[in-house]
Amino acid sequence: MKCTPQSAENGTLLKFPERFLWGTATATTQIEGHINNEWTDFVARDGRTCRVACDSYHRYAEDIEWMGKLGVNAYRMGIEWSRLQSEAYGPLHQVELARYADQLDRLNAAGIVPMVVLHHFSNPPWVNSIGGWTNAKTIPAFVDFITKLVAALRGHVRFWNTFNEPDTYASCGYLIGEFPPLQKWRLDRFRAVVVNMAKAHEQVCRVIREAGSGLGKVEVGFSKNWTYFQPYDKSLPWDGLFAAFIHQQLNRFVLHSFAGARGQTASTFLGVNYYGRIRFKNLKPLVPTFGFSHQELMGLGVECDDMLERHPAGLEFALQELYQHCRLPIYLTEHGSSSADEAFRERDLKENLAALHRAISGGVDVRGFYYWSLLDNFEWQFGYSKKFGLLDVDFGDDRLPRKMKPLGHIYRKVCLENSIGH
Ligand code: FCB
């Protein structure tokens, strides 16, 4: 692995390993529109729905052209189960399958390596009607779907990402009531969802590895969100206990369910999504989405984007810890920030890439980075108010025009030069 800091005119130039993947990431429900899943009728805090979103269902070719302008060589995208299978063990919908195959072909032709996410916070209605992932019957149904999907698409893709953030999905749906089915403090269901997803993950890894890919060595893994949960004031025992409990459930329990207590798994890589941390003060999370103003938070020394606290230094340690646990190559399958302040976002990107570079220099085998997100999009319970895109989308205009943001130009330079000036 070659990863060297070099001197540059204005400071240090951090060079990344050869063949490093520089990508962006999206999710079906957040960008495609015209979807029939549990989010279709969900009204977000801004009063809006995902019914049209960025209309990428119709505009994927245009989105790929934008990726060309960004200079990325990788794209992490979802395939929506609810579009492809209308009943348990049913055949796959051929027209929808052909649309995804075309999307993958266009990416490959543009030199952009696709990574396909198989589950990103949504299920077909017939899965939700039996209790979703709380029901163990969902496991064989999912394995059936993936077996058919992989047989159909193995010539178009070689990177598969089974589950995106089972921790976020299960906690938002069953602990804090923010995602469908909007349940609160059902720790039993939270744990059942994680365990069932982990079992499905193992089976699906084997299916994918056995099927292989016509494009080269097949790769498969899930994506773990790594958020630090900490007390703001270490002398307050209840905040310490609360943070430790959440860390235990969302980080440890999920990691051990998916990757074994000693890292044994059928995955070939580990996906890591990293945004930062949440600190608790009197059991309240110090984040803007909990109602704290940026001013109040800054007064406490808590620097946030529009979602949570930034903690770039933590990325290096999270990667070291996860690598020690799993001993698998890592892809940083999401990092990004949401803010109207592009200078803030530039600093956030550079600080996090510097931390990533330190981890790689220290021996962690990280092979790619995917910026969240390509486009401003439907940010789940928050609707369209969180601006994570490298491209701006004007949701006030029915034509949903896309426009490069200043951060898009900066990211383009990183991708093309495989380095970052710091
Ligand atoms: C991650 C999700 C992604 C998006 C970003 C901001 O947790 O995987 O869909 O919501 O956060």
Side-chain angles (χ1 to χ4, degrees), residues 166-179 183 190 194 250:
D167 32 79
T168 307
Y169 173 72
S171 61
C172 287
Y174 298 91
L175 293 182
I176 59 169
E178 298 262 328
F179 285 7
Q183 297 181 8
F190 164 85
V194 171
L250 268 64

Side-chain angles (χ1 to χ4, degrees), residues 333-352:
T333 39
E334 285 184 25
H335 172 77
S337 64
S338 116
S339 170
D341 179 351
E342 289 284 286
F344 168 88
R345 296 180 75 210
E346 176 182 348
R347 187 159 56 81
D348 175 81
L349 174 67
K350 290 188 169 167
E351 288 177 357
N352 279 279

Side-chain angles (χ1 to χ4, degrees), residues 9-68:
E9 272 169 40
N10 314 320
T12 317
L13 189 67
L14 305 176
K15 195 90 188 124
F16 282 78
E18 282 162 36
R19 289 188 293 280
F20 197 75
L21 291 182
W22 290 105
T24 67
T26 60
T28 53
T29 304
Q30 294 181 275
I31 66 161
E32 285 185 350
H34 324 283
I35 274 180
N36 180 20
N37 65 26
E38 64 271 57
W39 292 94
T40 310
D41 296 324
F42 179 92
V43 180
R45 286 193 203 171
D46 65 351
R48 305 189 61 186
T49 72
C50 65
R51 281 172 180 264
V52 178
C54 308
D55 195 27
S56 294
Y57 179 71
H58 295 112
R59 294 165 196 228
Y60 62 93
E62 182 192 336
D63 289 346
I64 295 170
E65 279 170 28
W66 278 107
M67 285 179 228

Side-chain angles (χ1 to χ4, degrees), residues 193-398:
V193 167
V194 171
V195 167
N196 287 335
M197 284 184 157
K199 286 182 182 158
H201 169 76
E202 276 306 289
Q203 294 182 36
V204 156
C205 281
R206 289 179 213 289
V207 168
I208 290 173
R209 291 175 71 160
E210 268 163 37
S213 165
L215 297 184
K217 186 172 171 279
V218 79
E219 300 279 354
V220 59
F222 86 111
S223 284
K224 172 80 189 81
N225 173 293
W226 197 264
T227 300
Y228 287 94
F229 300 99
Q230 295 171 349
Y232 177 72
D233 178 346
K234 292 195 180 71
S235 67
L236 296 182
W238 48 90
D239 283 338
L241 284 171
F242 190 53
F245 174 74
I246 299 193
H247 173 69
Q248 173 59 32
Q249 297 301 322
L250 268 64
N251 288 333
R252 289 267 152 261
F253 171 65
V254 175
L255 184 66
H256 291 178
S257 302
F258 272 74
R262 286 188 302 280
Q264 66 279 25
T265 164
S267 308
T268 68
F269 73 86
L270 176 69
V272 179
N273 294 357
Y274 183 81
Y275 289 87
R277 73 176 157 185
I278 297 179
R279 286 191 279 172
F280 296 94
K281 189 167 189 282
N282 291 321
L283 306 182
K284 290 197 196 100
L286 294 173
V287 289
T289 44
F290 201 77
F292 291 102
S293 71
H294 278 280
Q295 222 179 355
E296 274 172 284
L297 294 167
M298 282 307 269
L300 293 168
V302 177
E303 194 188 8
C304 296
D305 74 340
D306 291 343
M307 296 271 284
L308 42 111
E309 187 179 351
R310 302 287 102 184
H311 186 36
L315 176 58
E316 181 186 354
F317 305 116
L319 291 171
Q320 281 168 352
E321 190 180 338
L322 290 164
Y323 187 55
Q324 257 168 28
H325 185 82
C326 295
R327 284 283 152 201
L328 287 174
I330 291 179
Y331 291 87
L332 195 49
T333 39
E334 285 184 25
H335 172 77
S337 64
S338 116
S339 170
D341 179 351
E342 289 284 286
F344 168 88
R345 296 180 75 210
E346 176 182 348
R347 187 159 56 81
D348 175 81
L349 174 67
K350 290 188 169 167
E351 288 177 357
N352 279 279
L353 288 182
L356 169 61
H357 190 274
R358 287 196 298 278
I360 297 174
S361 304
V364 181
D365 182 5
V366 185
R367 301 192 178 175
F369 172 90
Y370 298 76
Y371 193 83
W372 184 273
S373 179
L374 173 66
L375 303 158
D376 284 345
N377 59 47
F378 177 77
E379 178 53 37
W380 312 111
Q381 71 271 45
F382 305 111
Y384 298 90
S385 59
K386 307 290 176 226
K387 307 292 184 187
F388 278 98
L390 294 168
L391 302 175
D392 168 89
V393 179
D394 183 354
F395 293 104
D397 180 334
D398 287 347

